Amino acid sequence: MRNNKSLLVCLVVTIAVYLAFYTDGHKARKIQILKAVYPAGILPGTSSETMVFCLDQPYPLKSVKVVEVEEARTNKFAHALWAMVAPAAPQPIKSFRYGADLPGMQPKVATAVPEPLDPDATYTLEIETGNGLKGEITFQPPP
């Protein structure tokens, strides 16, 4: 009987060590974001190169924000070049273009419009869902 208890304890310890070191269950999950640049005219209604952000799966986004990396390093409340928020229940979104109207979202400042991006600058896109999942990607716009 004592031998069975010892084996059971060893098994539980082995499982705990495996879960602690070989799984990502203890890490906060992040939204994966990819950036794609499409040539002019490929996407409907575009006359120049278009930058599209693709998420690993559809998410009901609560906020979307683009800030310049250099400004964000020195200013905790960096000026957002494009900021959208969902005032109510947002619709799941899998991909979107910079500056586009997103379903279920509106500009954070009602009169704000997306500012043009400088090809020589580096930017960060930050997104967040209603249940606290976050994601970000640092990117340079096409020339």
Side-chain angles (χ1 to χ4, degrees), residues 31-39 43 49-56 66 82 94-99 117-127 135-143:
I31 299 172
Q32 298 297 311
I33 307 170
L34 297 173
K35 179 193 85 162
V37 177
Y38 293 93
L43 298 176
E49 284 188 315
T50 305
M51 189 169 38
V52 176
F53 297 100
C54 304
L55 311 180
D56 58 338
V66 173
W82 180 47
K94 172 99 169 128
S95 64
F96 54 91
R97 295 187 281 200
Y98 172 79
L117 301 178
D118 178 5
D120 296 325
T122 304
Y123 301 92
T124 299
L125 167 71
E126 301 169 357
I127 60 175
E136 70 177 47
I137 184 172
T138 301
F139 68 94
Q140 278 192 290

